[in-house]
Amino acid sequence: MDKEIKTIHSWKNISLVEEFVPLPNGKNVVHTSICHPGAAVILPITEEGEIVLIKQFRPSLKKWFLELPAGTIEPNESVLSCAMRELEEETGYNAETIIPMGQVTPLAGFCDEIQHLFIAKDLTSTQHLTCDDDEVIEVVLMPLEMLEQKIVSGEVSDAKTIACLSKAKLSGFI
Amino acid sequence: MDKEIKTIHSWKNISLVEEFVPLPNGKNVVHTSICHPGAAVILPITEEGEIVLIKQFRPSLKKWFLELPAGTIEPNESVLSCAMRELEEETGYNAETIIPMGQVTPLAGFCDEIQHLFIAKDLTSTQHLTCDDDEVIEVVLMPLEMLEQKIVSGEVSDAKTIACLSKAKLSGFI
């Protein structure tokens, strides 16, 4: 039997749904879930070895976060195009080299979002930052060691930023 | 002015809201957000140095994930009690030593969930696994090196698991 989906609410390209899901144990559940088109997360590194981050005010948590640039995939947009667009919109940099590093899932418990990770090198500054109405952003450059200290101290707490850096390091990219 | 919140839908202890948020740039936005009570994420390590993970079917993504044990804080429950309860419910282990390692935010863009990270040591097996109706879980023990290989290969893609391991490693706990 195909799954049945009932949409409760939609905003931007996201929706909250209730869906009928058959489990591997033979039971069936009605599961409440966020349907999300997916996102790109970009780890940009300058020639000097500094990582380009954004300091961003997050309305959901009412505070500033130091994060890697990232954003939601638009309709009919490839993941790679999304990564390049978000990099320029949020940091004002273009990358000549952009390498996929796999995917992570931020909230598998009740959200189907997949975050596609990229490392971006050979950067040139275009200064073309473009912010949405609810985005308040500053660009911050920082060496990896300082960023890792901020992860330990808790100043950097964004899971996708920590996961992306960890994956890049374990994979030998940084 | 205090923020105004309109609840659109609630399930379990989670709710989808629209709220009025003043931004640091002086603008005001109506922001759609998931309100979540927070969660505990536990990194349990056996005396032999193996990490206790769970293989869990996730209805939102319709696939199995290899993750650290974790779960939502219940009403009137402390974060530490939540960590100990979820550890036993999901893995069948109790921990004599449980150390807080700070917090991460899994989806700051549209969810206020805070995940409280713990490392759990001096484990004893109680065999008392307790699963909710929509949880299908198997316990898996694995050395850190193998787990890190699975992060690189993409077999482990859960962001909180990768972030928690990374934070434990950078902090010198593992």
Side-chain angles (χ1 to χ4, degrees), chain B:
Chain B
M1 177 165 44
D2 278 350
K3 63 176 188 258
E4 294 158 32
I5 298 190
K6 180 182 136 198
T7 299
I8 296 166
H9 186 74
S10 295
W11 73 105
K12 296 182 176 177
N13 296 316
I14 307 169
S15 52
L16 181 72
V17 304
E18 275 177 356
E19 59 182 331
F20 176 87
V21 185
L23 302 183
N25 63 2
K27 289 186 186 172
N28 298 309
V29 287
V30 175
H31 188 73
T32 305
S33 198
I34 303 283
C35 290
H36 189 284
V41 181
I42 311 101
L43 169 48
I45 306 186
T46 66
E47 270 190 72
E48 293 75 30
E50 290 196 303
I51 294 169
V52 182
L53 298 145
I54 55 174
K55 195 178 156 192
Q56 181 168 21
F57 185 81
R58 290 298 203 172
S60 286
L61 286 137
K62 285 102 198 155
K63 52 177 266 201
W64 292 86
F65 284 80
L66 194 58
E67 304 176 31
L68 290 175
T72 302
I73 302 168
E74 292 188 349
N76 303 314
E77 186 180 45
S78 74
V79 181
L80 182 63
S81 299
C82 173
M84 294 171 75
R85 177 181 54 75
E86 289 288 351
L87 177 63
E88 181 164 12
E89 282 181 8
E90 295 198 332
T91 70
Y93 282 98
N94 274 335
E96 262 187 57
T97 308
I98 190 152
I99 305 162
M101 292 197 299
Q103 293 89 34
V104 296
T105 47
L107 252 184
F110 63 89
C111 178
D112 73 354
E113 178 174 350
I114 292 173
Q115 294 173 333
H116 303 263
L117 312 181
F118 294 90
I119 191 158
K121 293 183 174 180
D122 304 317
L123 308 178
T124 48
S125 176
T126 67
Q127 308 282 348
H128 289 160
L129 279 79
T130 322
C131 287
D132 292 341
D133 251 10
D134 57 353
E135 287 182 331
V136 182
I137 290 179
E138 292 170 21
V139 178
V140 178
L141 273 70
M142 193 175 294
L144 176 62
E145 297 67 31
M146 189 183 292
L147 182 50
E148 289 186 336
Q149 284 165 17
K150 288 183 190 298
I151 291 171
V152 172
S153 73
E155 197 180 331
V156 170
S157 68
D158 176 56
K160 71 175 179 306
T161 298
I162 302 172
C164 187
L165 279 167
S166 172
K167 188 146 181 176
K169 205 171 173 181
L170 291 172
S171 308
F173 284 116
I174 56 173

